[in-house]
């Protein structure tokens, strides 16, 4: 495995405020034929921001060759290997920092898209149940009771295991998102139903009906804004649950799989005790999961206070 990290003190012991790296020379063990990496302390290059490097597609859409940091390509550095690994590398020598950032795109978007789908289902079904009542309310509530009674983790695992292993990454991504959203909507639907039942008998709702306002206008203009703060809080608190769900499924090998990169896929490398003992930095993506979950909780709490009409 290539050496990890950057240097601030050179081979002579001089301290530099600018991070630099040494050249890495690759060789082979003549006995085992294993790859050997040696650090040449006589060849030093400084790390710069926004340098040109290997071409790639930004967000999978735009062609670019600008990297956040790296070694500037010059005649002196041409053909040489300089490793800049902030979080180290995995067993295959791949930069864990870059893979963690790329994994954030998938893990975060799974949470956002999954929450939007569950929000739409919960708001529509819960709104119909609370506003119409009667037989519609009874049918929807029995469906909610049945869905809530199912154990979440085993249900996730059963649905994820039904996804064919030979599916491409795109199909697997949307299937995992759909599974997470289909299991998460009943709680929001029941909350929306209770709010609609309490608001439909209020004076301002009756006044809107007397003024011949349509049911759609009564719901969207008068009832939903009254508990928008609660919806915002529910949405923000549901996103961490979605992220944790995708991470758990991918960690168990039932969600996204390599070559897809998500935080769960990265943490799957830490399942074996030997990997944790020899490569403890592979647990770094778990810290990003914790930070992201806490950040969404704090943001949701702030948005709820800002949108609460009673404060």
């Amino acid at each position: 495995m290539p050496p990890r990290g950057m240097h601030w003190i050179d081979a002579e012991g001089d301290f530099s405020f600018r991070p630099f790296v040494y050249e890495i020379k690759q060789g082979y063990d003549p006995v085992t034929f294993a790859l050997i990496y040696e650090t040449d302390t006589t060849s030093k290059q400084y790390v710069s921001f926004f340098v040109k490097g290997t071409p790639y597609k930004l967000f999978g859409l735009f062609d670019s060759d600008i990297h956040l940091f790296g070694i500037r390509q010059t005649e002196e550095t041409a053909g040489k290997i300089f490793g800049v690994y902030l979080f180290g590398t995995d067993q295959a020598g791949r930069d864990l920092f870059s893979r963690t950032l790329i994994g954030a795109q998938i893990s975060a978007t799974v949470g956002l898209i999954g929450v939007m789908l569950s929000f739409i289902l919960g708001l529509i079904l819960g709104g119909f149940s609370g506003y119409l009542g009667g037989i519609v309310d009874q049918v929807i509530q029995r469906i909610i009771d049945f869905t809530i009674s199912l154990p979440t983790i085993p249900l996730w695992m059963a649905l994820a295991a039904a996804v064919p292993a030979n599916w491409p990454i795109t199909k697997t991504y949307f299937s995992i998102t759909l599974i997470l959203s289909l299991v998460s909507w009943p709680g929001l639907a029941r909350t929306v139903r209770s709010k609609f039942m309490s608001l439909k008998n209020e004076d301002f709702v009756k006044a809107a009906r007397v003024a011949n306002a349509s049911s759609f206008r009564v719901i969207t203009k008068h009832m939903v804004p009254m508990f928008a703060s609660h919806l915002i809080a529910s949405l923000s608190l549901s996103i961490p649950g979605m992220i944790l769900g995708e991470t758990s499924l991918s960690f168990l090998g039932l969600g996204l799989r390599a070559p897809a990169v998500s935080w769960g896929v990265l943490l799957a490398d830490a399942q074996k005790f030997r990997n944790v003992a020899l490569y403890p930095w592979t647990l770094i993506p778990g810290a990003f999961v914790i930070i992201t979950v806490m950040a969404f909780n704090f943001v949701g709490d702030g948005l709820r206070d800002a949108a609460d009409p009673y404060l």
Side-chain angles (χ1 to χ4, degrees), residues 41 97-98 118 124 134 166 172 174 177 205 212 218 238 253 255 275 309:
T41 57
F97 177 77
S98 300
S118 64
I124 293 176
N166 59 352
T172 305
F174 283 105
T177 304
V205 175
N212 291 326
V218 171
S238 298
N275 293 345

Side-chain angles (χ1 to χ4, degrees), residues 18-235:
R18 237 179 118 186
F20 58 87
V21 293
Y22 294 119
E23 179 185 355
I24 300 172
K25 293 185 176 180
Q26 178 179 312
Y28 292 91
D29 189 316
V31 178
T32 63
F33 297 100
L35 286 175
I36 298 177
Y37 297 93
E38 297 180 353
T39 303
D40 183 7
T41 57
T42 62
S43 179
K44 179 175 66 174
Q45 291 293 329
Y46 288 98
V47 178
S48 304
F49 287 98
F50 304 108
V51 298
K52 291 188 176 182
T54 305
Y56 65 96
K57 283 188 175 293
L58 183 63
F59 302 115
L61 301 174
F62 310 103
D63 293 327
S64 177
D65 60 354
I66 303 298
H67 294 252
L68 177 61
F69 56 84
I71 306 300
R72 296 193 181 278
Q73 299 297 321
T74 62
E75 294 182 359
E76 182 182 357
T77 61
K80 297 182 179 179
I81 303 175
F82 293 91
V84 183
Y85 308 110
L86 293 182
F87 294 168
T89 60
D90 59 11
Q91 300 179 58
R94 296 170 297 191
D95 181 29
L96 188 60
F97 177 77
S98 300
R99 288 169 63 80
T100 301
L101 295 184
I102 295 174
Q105 300 178 16
I106 295 181
S107 296
T109 52
V110 165
L112 293 173
I113 297 176
V115 163
M116 291 307 300
L117 292 177
S118 64
F119 173 76
I120 294 173
L121 286 173
L123 187 61
I124 293 176
L125 295 179
F128 278 131
S129 179
Y131 189 78
L132 300 178
I135 188 65
V136 175
D137 181 31
Q138 293 298 322
V139 172
I140 294 177
Q141 291 308 304
R142 298 298 75 79
I143 295 175
I144 292 176
D145 292 336
F146 174 75
T147 306
I148 292 178
S149 66
L150 298 174
T152 304
I153 298 298
L155 181 61
W156 278 351
M157 295 176 64
L159 293 176
V163 177
N166 59 352
W167 271 15
I169 297 175
T170 306
K171 287 187 177 180
T172 305
Y173 172 84
F174 283 105
S175 64
I176 295 301
T177 304
L178 186 61
I179 290 171
L180 294 175
S181 60
L182 289 178
V183 178
S184 303
W185 67 269
L188 179 62
R190 182 152 286 180
T191 302
V192 171
R193 170 185 177 266
S194 63
K195 293 293 184 179
F196 269 55
M197 292 183 67
S198 62
L199 290 175
K200 70 180 182 179
N201 295 321
E202 294 289 338
D203 292 339
F204 67 92
V205 175
K206 294 180 179 179
R209 290 174 180 169
V210 171
N212 291 326
S214 63
S215 298
F216 179 79
R217 181 176 179 82
V218 171
I219 292 173
T220 57
K221 297 294 185 180
H222 299 281
M223 300 180 71
V224 172
M226 291 302 297
F227 60 98
S229 60
H230 185 84
L231 293 177
I232 293 173
S234 298
L235 283 175

